[in-house]
Amino acid sequence: MSAPIPSPDGVVENDRHHHHDHHTVEMDAAATPAPTPDTDPVGVIEAALVRLVDDVGVLAEEDVVRAFSILKATDLPGYLRLRQAAKKANRDCSVTVLDKLVRDELPGSDDDASALDELVALARAQCQLHHDADRNAVAVIPMPSRREVWRVYSSGFEEWLRAAYWRAKEMGVPETTMKSALATLAAAGINDGDEIEVHVRAARCDDGYLIDLADEQWQAIHVTPQGWRVVNESPVYFTRTPSMRPLPMPVAHGDVGLLWQHTNIPAHSRVMMLAWLLDCFRPDTPFPVLELVGEQGSAKSTTQFVLRSLVDPNKVMLRGRPKTVEDVFVAAANNWLVSYENLSGLTPEQQDAFCTLATGGGFASRQLYTNGEEHVMETKRPVVLNGIAVVATRPDLIDRVIHVDLPTIPADARRDDADTYAGWERDQSKVFAGLLDLFSAALAILPTVKLTQKQRMADYERLGEAVARAMGFAAGEFQQQYAELVRAGIDRALESNAVAQALDRYIAERVLPLNWQGTAGQLYDLLNTHSIPDRSSWPRSPKGLSDQLRRIAPAYRAKGIDITHLGHSREGARWRIARTRSQTNPATPPGIEGGTRYGAHRE
């Protein structure tokens, strides 16, 4: 333990007021050798502090620097105390110079700096640094058997850099040094590197689509109208997130019909389901939202698990209800397929967020630790939801939803989880290969598909028509099924809307032909007289009613009732409600007899 450190003032006072002991001190000094840095570093420093009051150069003397160096190596608390005492003794002295001299004196004192330089040099020698359109740094790492692509600020790149440094030096890297190295490499990629396009899981290429297998060899699947093949190095840059897991390796002679043995999809919805699965691999088009609804015991979660394992396997395959809109976009930023289960309901804001994910958009919030900058997450992702009750209730989301009702499984037909997952583990490679076969066949037919009438998700509708024809269905059958699905969705949307319930009652009481005109206030008073089971969402003013009318107008138009805003007058917003001629006919969905290829309806 170091000796008590006298203050410089105290040392000076001793020198001034004890002249009568001067002769005794000289005799003691003659008898005792002067302290040296190696024998008494504290004594050397204490003596230097006395002289420091009048001489700032004391701290640069060789013996003083060596004494501070020895003390730092052997007694860090004592070193810090004496360094502080030096600052108090003379505020004009530079302890920064002292620190530099001490670092130079100590062996290995520049290890951190050299480790940082070595890390940066190692990374720049073994990888190529670039950035994406958002100026996020990206590292492309060529290897003998594969090519890895990581964002510089990712756990994957950090793990690679630590492993590379260990192989080179057999040493670990301190956390602070690693952070400094990543910041330096990110700056190099942003300022010196080229801009490249980075993809997750799926990408469009000139003659088809690429799907990242996310395996250890960084292989991908190239699907074209002529077929599909596994490629060792993708022509586009795929990156990954820590939670991503590999897709099954496809095998020859695939059989997509095996899928129905592991899911509870009813026969009349299977073509729709296959079209949704294939559409998940088309990032250049909007994604419909898949909604699985069924009673307890209808294998909703098992079905969703199996479907996700064919699109985007993940460490957490099914997630619980998101708490906020930001949670939805964070999940989208880290997953290709956004998957939520056991939902009892979604807020209007969350439903709007899923609409944004389906067609592409973003979420902005204030950047952490800044006053004014925005943090923007922009993305487009396929989404799958499940619940006992319908969770998509807003018309905007229902327009984008593929709704599938799962039948209840009888007690004598249920299987335990061990058998279920073991069987899927056995068959998933064949199913995935069959899905790729169907994708290639659909891409070959797609250019010939022309739609005279289109639903909201027209790109999905067109692909679905190609898929149905590839499976042996007649032209137009898928369109009929999809039109029926959309009409059923419209009914669900109106059933859950309080204004629509009141408007339906009013229309039912009217004598045909229906042709009402008036202000929003008049209609508000008129509809208010009807009994509504749930008035929690009832508008509180005529303006609120106008907002609701705009929201439900597309659904009523599809039912043959035109709700039109006629503009504003002195009395308020004017509206017209009139019946129009229906333009659609009842649809007959493809049945079990329609498909002849790919085991489409195997029971």
Side-chain angles (χ1 to χ4, degrees):
M1 183 174 180
S2 60
I5 304 167
S7 68
D9 294 337
V11 175
V12 174
E13 287 299 314
N14 264 347
D15 191 60
R16 290 177 180 172
H17 297 293
H18 296 281
H19 297 289
H20 60 280
D21 291 332
H22 182 68
H23 181 68
T24 305
V25 171
E26 285 185 346
M27 290 180 61
D28 291 342
T32 305
T36 66
D38 296 311
T39 60
D40 187 9
V42 173
V44 172
I45 295 172
E46 288 176 344
L49 293 180
V50 177
R51 297 184 291 116
L52 183 62
V53 175
D54 300 314
D55 182 6
V56 295
V58 170
L59 292 184
E61 293 177 357
E62 184 178 346
D63 285 351
V64 176
V65 171
R66 178 162 178 76
F68 268 108
S69 301
I70 293 173
L71 191 61
K72 182 178 182 180
T74 58
D75 182 10
L76 184 58
Y79 164 80
L80 294 174
R81 295 188 187 103
L82 289 173
R83 181 180 178 277
Q84 182 67 17
K87 291 173 63 177
K88 290 182 178 180
N90 190 332
R91 296 189 180 277
D92 293 331
C93 72
S94 175
V95 292
T96 303
V97 172
L98 173 65
D99 292 338
K100 181 180 183 305
L101 294 172
V102 168
R103 283 197 302 269
D104 294 341
E105 179 73 18
L106 288 175
S109 61
D110 60 345
D111 282 351
D112 287 346
S114 62
L116 172 60
D117 294 339
E118 289 171 350
L119 273 174
V120 172
L122 183 66
R124 300 200 71 168
Q126 297 190 23
C127 68
Q128 305 156 9
L129 297 172
H130 304 285
H131 64 272
D132 61 15
D134 296 325
R135 296 186 67 78
N136 297 312
V138 178
V140 179
I141 311 170
M143 295 184 178
S145 60
R146 64 186 186 275
R147 181 192 66 194
E148 297 187 8
V149 181
W150 296 103
R151 297 193 183 277
V152 170
Y153 285 119
S154 69
S155 58
F157 180 72
E158 182 177 333
E159 290 171 2
W160 171 83
L161 188 54
R162 288 184 184 277
Y165 191 74
W166 173 262
R167 287 192 294 268
K169 299 290 184 180
E170 292 192 354
M171 293 176 60
V173 182
E175 192 65 29
T176 55
T177 306
M178 177 58 70
K179 288 182 178 179
S180 298
L182 294 178
T184 303
L185 294 170
I190 292 170
N191 295 289
D192 298 336
D194 298 327
E195 180 179 318
I196 62 173
E197 190 173 2
V198 180
H199 305 270
V200 176
R201 191 62 85 175
R204 177 76 165 130
C205 61
D206 293 336
D207 54 348
Y209 293 88
L210 286 154
I211 303 169
D212 182 17
L213 281 173
D215 60 351
E216 292 184 358
Q217 290 73 39
W218 287 71
Q219 294 175 304
I221 297 174
H222 189 194
V223 185
T224 69
Q226 291 74 42
W228 60 268
R229 62 189 179 92
V230 177
V231 294
N232 291 328
E233 185 172 308
S234 168
V236 303
Y237 294 113
F238 281 117
T239 189
R240 299 175 181 176
T241 63
S243 60
M244 288 178 66
R245 295 296 182 266
L247 282 163
M249 178 62 70
V251 298
H253 310 297
D255 186 358
V256 77
L258 293 173
L259 177 62
W260 316 127
Q261 297 181 11
H262 303 281
T263 58
N264 190 28
I265 305 297
H268 64 270
S269 297
R270 291 175 180 175
V271 182
M272 196 79 64
M273 179 61 64
L274 291 173
W276 178 83
L277 284 169
L278 296 181
D279 206 36
C280 290
F281 297 125
R282 299 203 306 163
D284 55 330
T285 64
F287 296 115
V289 176
L290 178 63
E291 180 185 50
L292 303 175
V293 175
E295 296 179 13
Q296 191 173 3
S298 57
K300 297 184 299 297
S301 295
T302 300
T303 297
Q304 187 167 333
F305 177 94
V306 169
L307 295 176
R308 178 162 194 179
S309 64
L310 293 171
V311 176
D312 182 40
N314 194 272
K315 180 180 180 180
V316 182
M317 298 286 277
L318 310 175
R319 299 170 185 254
R321 180 181 183 273
K323 295 182 179 179
T324 65
V325 170
E326 186 174 7
D327 291 341
V328 174
F329 282 95
V330 169
N334 291 277
N335 298 265
W336 176 246
L337 177 64
V338 178
S339 171
Y340 291 108
E341 69 161 344
N342 292 330
L343 299 174
S344 56
L346 293 169
T347 66
E349 293 77 17
Q350 289 171 338
Q351 295 195 51
D352 289 344
F354 287 126
C355 289
T356 302
L357 283 185
T359 53
F363 172 82
S365 64
R366 186 174 68 85
Q367 178 75 46
L368 294 178
Y369 312 117
T370 69
N371 292 324
E373 290 190 11
E374 279 189 328
H375 174 57
V376 179
M377 290 179 283
E378 183 178 9
T379 188
K380 182 175 67 174
R381 293 286 187 266
V383 177
V384 56
L385 314 169
N386 86 52
I388 294 176
V390 172
V391 294
T393 57
R394 290 172 71 86
D396 283 353
L397 181 57
I398 290 177
D399 272 353
R400 298 168 168 85
V401 159
I402 306 301
H403 177 89
V404 179
D405 284 306
L406 275 58
T408 303
I409 300 175
D412 58 354
R414 293 176 184 169
R415 293 182 292 176
D416 56 59
D417 285 350
D419 289 343
T420 298
Y421 293 117
W424 177 239
E425 187 73 21
R426 180 189 65 244
D427 291 340
Q428 62 177 335
S429 292
K430 290 183 179 180
V431 173
F432 188 52
L435 197 64
L436 295 174
D437 291 336
L438 181 57
F439 196 11
S440 176
L443 290 178
I445 296 173
L446 191 61
T448 67
V449 176
K450 308 296 180 185
L451 304 180
T452 55
Q453 294 182 353
K454 301 176 182 178
Q455 303 294 340
R456 177 72 173 268
M457 305 300 287
D459 294 281
Y460 166 78
E461 184 180 15
R462 187 163 170 257
L463 175 68
E465 182 68 20
V467 170
R469 295 183 192 181
M471 295 175 65
F473 290 102
E477 285 195 69
F478 180 87
Q479 264 197 287
Q480 292 180 359
Q481 180 183 11
Y482 188 47
E484 181 64 32
L485 182 78
V486 171
R487 282 196 291 275
I490 290 171
D491 292 337
R492 291 197 308 274
L494 298 179
E495 285 173 1
S496 60
N497 187 282
V499 171
Q501 293 174 25
L503 190 58
D504 283 344
R505 286 184 173 86
Y506 170 73
I507 293 172
E509 296 170 358
R510 300 291 291 179
V511 178
L512 297 178
L514 175 67
N515 189 4
W516 181 92
Q517 291 188 38
T519 66
Q522 292 170 340
L523 185 60
Y524 186 77
D525 294 337
L526 193 65
L527 298 181
N528 243 335
T529 61
H530 292 78
S531 63
I532 307 299
D534 181 14
R535 283 187 171 266
S536 61
S537 59
W538 185 256
R540 299 182 180 181
S541 66
K543 181 184 179 302
L545 176 63
S546 292
D547 293 340
Q548 290 280 3
L549 290 175
R550 290 187 179 90
R551 187 174 293 276
I552 63 176
Y556 272 96
R557 192 174 301 114
K559 292 179 63 175
I561 296 174
D562 191 26
I563 301 176
T564 307
H565 181 229
L566 301 177
H568 287 268
S569 66
R570 292 182 179 180
E571 292 80 16
R574 295 190 60 81
W575 289 86
R576 180 179 66 207
I577 302 175
R579 191 175 295 277
T580 60
R581 184 173 61 87
S582 177
Q583 299 178 350
T584 56
N585 296 316
T588 302
I592 295 178
E593 300 82 6
T596 58
R597 300 180 63 189
Y598 302 103
H601 299 291
R602 178 178 298 172
E603 296 294 346

